[in-house]
Amino acid sequence: PDLVPGARDAAARRFLAQARWGLDADAQAEIARVVGEVLGDARFAAIFGPEGRAEVPVVGRVGDFAMSGQIDRLLVTGDELVAVDYKTDRPAPDSPDKVAPVYLRQMALYRALLGRIYPGKALRCVLLWTDGPKLMELPPTMMESALAGLAEGAQTGHAPLAS
């Protein structure tokens, strides 16, 4: 996103052509196409704009859980915070109720930590599915339920953070 739009395609192709990735020409072209679509989509302009931050580390405790993570994109504006995580599942789910529980837990933990770091800001958690591409905002009630499930699981010894 830091490159001007006209330079992105060539940079992506150079990056993907490196032998260390082991990608054939078709895979390189597909990945470059998807990345180009995401970065070029006007719906995502603010996320990838100058106020958006890439790969923001977060560390802290949420209840009984010590957590360390990295938020793919964080957009901080005057009164709002948008935490974005990229997902490459294919096909992407068509509604939040079909999102994998591990993703809900991940975003719920990010939300809990960010709420303490940025008190008073409205906080939105969003998945950016590269299949589409599309943004999917996760309802706060779903993430609250995911956190409650983690707390209950911790009491019984069954609280997976990842699958």
Side-chain angles (χ1 to χ4, degrees), residues 5-160:
R8 290 177 181 164
D9 186 57
R13 291 186 183 280
R14 279 192 309 276
F15 179 79
L16 294 168
Q18 295 176 46
R20 66 180 166 166
W21 306 125
L23 299 170
D24 64 27
D26 289 341
Q28 292 174 34
E30 174 63 10
I31 293 168
R33 181 190 66 74
V34 170
V35 169
E37 283 180 10
V38 170
L39 293 179
D41 194 313
R43 296 173 296 169
F44 313 142
I47 294 166
F48 294 110
E51 292 180 328
R53 301 175 193 168
E55 300 182 7
V56 177
V58 289
V59 177
R61 292 192 67 80
V62 178
D64 292 332
F65 296 96
M67 190 213 161
S68 173
Q70 188 165 291
I71 300 170
D72 290 332
R73 293 297 289 191
L74 184 64
L75 175 64
V76 182
T77 62
D79 59 348
E80 183 180 57
L81 202 64
V82 182
V84 180
D85 200 68
Y86 311 141
K87 298 299 179 198
T88 58
D89 300 32
R90 296 200 183 293
D94 57 3
S95 64
D97 63 314
K98 295 181 181 170
V99 169
V102 68
Y103 297 160
L104 293 174
R105 290 188 294 266
Q106 173 192 16
M107 297 305 284
L109 288 166
Y110 287 168
R111 182 175 182 266
L113 288 175
L114 290 170
R116 282 191 246 142
I117 296 167
Y118 295 94
K121 287 194 183 276
L123 177 56
R124 296 171 47 215
C125 290
V126 177
L127 298 176
L128 192 161
W129 300 99
T130 60
D131 183 28
K134 65 182 173 185
L135 284 176
M136 179 183 288
E137 186 164 350
L138 299 174
T141 54
M142 287 183 82
M143 288 180 289
E144 289 163 11
S145 293
L147 268 185
L150 272 175
E152 290 168 13
Q155 293 172 357
T156 63
H158 298 89

